[in-house]
Amino acid sequence: LISTVMTLLRALKMKFLSSCALFSFLTVARAFAPLTFADTGGTVRHFTRLFLASPYNDDALARNKARTDVCNFLTQRAMQSFIHLLIETRDPHTVTWMEEFGGWTNLEEFHGTGALNLTIYPKWDSVLLEMMEQPPAVVVIRAKRRGRGHGGWSKNNPYLEERFVEFEIDVDPVSIASRIMAVREQLAMEWETDLDMLLAANDAILQSYSTRDGTFERTTMAYGDFGMFKAKAPSPLRKGNYDLLVLLATQESVHRILRSYQQVEGLKVSFEWLRDFYADRIGDYFDGSGEYGRADDFLEQLLLTPPSVKQAVRQKADLIDPLKIAEDIIRTRSQVARDWKEVCRCIPKDHTELRKILLAKQMLKWGNAPNAESTEQVADEPGGIRKMGEFE
């Protein structure tokens, strides 16, 4: 049986050598730099750009690190959680102000890891610093009172006029930034526990595949049982946070493995194979808003890919072992989880400088009358101006 397999592999190797020789000059070293989402008609979309670059392109490396930076992602999820809380407490006016400020549409519903524009907001605190620079605003709500067709009145009575009542809603960007930071610290505390669950899930995946005849057991989301935490209620989007945290950790692991393979002469073939495998699936698994469990989907497809023979540029052909690559990614994902736990533990300390800026802004506000920008929103019948509420 062994001799038959070796004969087959030699035949495959010769076939790949002849075909790869024709196209080896087309192979380039590519770096992956996912861009931010753009929304059209209320739909959030996410795009990935593939750069044709040298293996040591500093710009591409910086973009990739920013794309999978857990601090940037923590800011994104803190803002989404805060918007969810505003909607739950019936404060759509602050939500509208935030989405107009950032140019977002339906940010709360975006289930992905790249919602913030890394060109505009390259660091985790960039969006908060810019938010604090915005002037305070006052939203004036004009709501229709009862009368002229309401409460038993005849709507055809020419002597009855429409009656409105006005009330003001203050929008303080400095206060909003402070509240988002508080949510960010809470999420960081939760993610320390969630990353422990990811470590356990990684061990279970490796064990299940090695002891059950190559069967991939989808254990990642099974470990997301947040009902076990009785001491403190979880954040409202915790299940989604955990799913996306696993997805981002998987993407960061793939990036680390690619960099590692790229530096080892004997792994050039595996590097190019994994690079192409990953590039073909970025849009399906890592970019944009999508379903739950995409990290498991990616790993399952990798584990179920049969071995093959591939030749890299100016390299001899080599056997590709997807199982070994998947094991490397999962083990690296455990190291990513440990690294991110330390990052989450330091989040309150990272907020120190930002809180100093917040305090200075608040003291300036207390010493001077705010220069508020007033906007007026009118509640009307359907088909008129956007309805913001109704006074009864």
Side-chain angles (χ1 to χ4, degrees):
L1 178 60
I2 294 176
S3 61
T4 303
V5 172
M6 294 302 297
T7 302
L8 178 61
L9 288 176
R10 281 195 295 269
L12 289 173
K13 179 177 178 180
M14 294 303 298
K15 183 177 180 180
F16 271 85
L17 282 171
S18 59
S19 60
C20 292
L22 297 174
F23 301 101
S24 61
F25 68 96
L26 297 175
T27 306
V28 295
R30 291 178 294 180
F32 306 94
L35 298 180
T36 55
F37 73 85
D39 51 271
T40 305
T43 302
V44 179
R45 297 180 181 178
H46 191 109
F47 302 95
T48 297
R49 181 166 56 192
L50 300 183
F51 287 93
L52 300 182
S54 65
Y56 305 101
N57 187 289
D58 293 335
D59 180 66
L61 179 63
R63 287 175 179 268
N64 285 334
K65 287 188 175 181
R67 174 63 178 83
T68 57
D69 185 358
V70 70
C71 291
N72 290 336
F73 178 59
L74 181 57
T75 300
Q76 171 196 322
R77 294 305 290 179
M79 296 183 67
Q80 290 180 282
S81 299
F82 182 65
I83 288 176
H84 176 83
L85 293 172
L86 290 174
I87 294 174
E88 289 292 311
T89 55
R90 300 185 180 182
D91 184 6
H93 319 295
T94 303
V95 175
T96 300
W97 182 91
M98 289 182 61
E99 293 193 336
E100 289 177 352
F101 156 76
W104 305 305
T105 302
N106 299 327
L107 180 61
E108 184 212 7
E109 300 177 3
F110 181 79
H111 187 71
T113 60
L116 299 183
N117 190 323
L118 297 179
T119 303
I120 301 176
Y121 309 118
K123 298 181 180 179
W124 67 265
D125 58 351
S126 299
V127 63
L128 298 175
L129 288 170
E130 183 172 340
M131 183 178 293
M132 287 188 288
E133 294 298 326
Q134 303 303 308
V138 176
V139 180
V140 180
I141 306 298
R142 298 184 66 227
K144 186 184 295 184
R145 297 185 61 181
R146 283 182 175 273
R148 192 162 185 180
H150 295 276
W153 296 91
S154 172
K155 64 180 180 179
N156 297 321
N157 191 330
Y159 298 100
L160 295 178
E161 297 180 354
E162 299 286 3
R163 298 182 299 171
F164 293 87
V165 62
E166 294 185 356
F167 57 94
E168 297 180 348
I169 296 178
D170 294 324
V171 177
D172 184 3
V174 176
S175 176
I176 293 174
S178 176
R179 293 155 70 187
I180 292 175
M181 288 171 58
V183 175
R184 195 171 183 271
E185 291 183 8
Q186 180 187 353
L187 294 184
M189 293 176 59
E190 291 183 348
W191 287 9
E192 289 186 55
T193 303
D194 295 348
L195 290 167
D196 282 332
M197 290 193 293
L198 177 57
L199 288 170
N202 288 342
D203 295 338
I205 290 173
L206 292 174
Q207 183 178 6
S208 68
Y209 197 83
S210 61
T211 60
R212 297 179 59 179
D213 299 327
T215 302
F216 177 71
E217 184 176 356
R218 303 174 66 91
T219 59
T220 302
M221 288 309 299
Y223 278 81
D225 181 11
F226 307 116
M228 67 180 71
F229 305 106
K230 304 295 184 180
K232 191 174 183 180
S235 59
L237 303 181
R238 187 164 188 184
K239 183 177 180 181
N241 290 340
Y242 177 73
D243 177 68
L244 294 176
L245 188 64
V246 174
L247 181 65
L248 189 66
T250 304
Q251 188 174 21
E252 168 65 12
S253 303
V254 173
H255 287 187
R256 291 189 184 187
I257 290 297
L258 284 171
R259 297 184 194 113
S260 174
Y261 284 4
Q262 197 174 23
Q263 304 302 320
V264 180
E265 188 66 26
L267 294 177
K268 294 290 186 180
V269 176
S270 296
F271 161 73
E272 292 194 1
W273 184 90
L274 177 59
R275 181 199 62 196
D276 295 340
F277 181 90
Y278 171 57
D280 292 341
R281 292 159 180 81
I282 287 179
D284 296 331
Y285 297 116
F286 297 104
D287 285 353
S289 183
E291 302 292 333
Y292 282 73
R294 284 181 286 172
D296 279 346
D297 292 340
F298 175 79
L299 289 176
E300 183 175 19
Q301 187 170 6
L302 179 59
L303 286 167
L304 297 179
T305 302
S308 60
V309 177
K310 180 179 174 62
Q311 182 185 21
V313 178
R314 295 186 296 274
Q315 298 284 329
K316 64 180 182 179
D318 199 0
L319 177 66
I320 301 300
D321 185 0
L323 175 59
K324 176 61 168 59
I325 295 175
E327 289 180 354
D328 290 343
I329 292 174
I330 294 173
R331 296 187 192 282
T332 302
R333 193 169 70 174
S334 294
Q335 184 58 49
V336 170
R338 286 188 285 269
D339 294 343
W340 285 1
K341 280 186 62 179
E342 293 300 320
V343 173
C344 291
R345 191 172 293 117
C346 296
I347 291 301
K349 183 178 178 181
D350 294 341
H351 285 175
T352 302
E353 292 300 323
L354 203 56
R355 291 201 178 278
K356 290 181 181 179
I357 299 175
L358 275 171
L359 180 59
K361 294 284 185 183
Q362 290 171 340
M363 292 180 66
L364 182 63
K365 175 186 174 182
W366 296 333
N368 300 278
N371 181 22
E373 295 181 351
S374 297
T375 60
E376 186 175 280
Q377 299 172 342
V378 181
D380 206 343
E381 297 292 339
I385 301 176
R386 180 180 50 178
K387 186 172 182 179
M388 300 300 295
E390 182 173 356
F391 175 80
E392 293 186 358

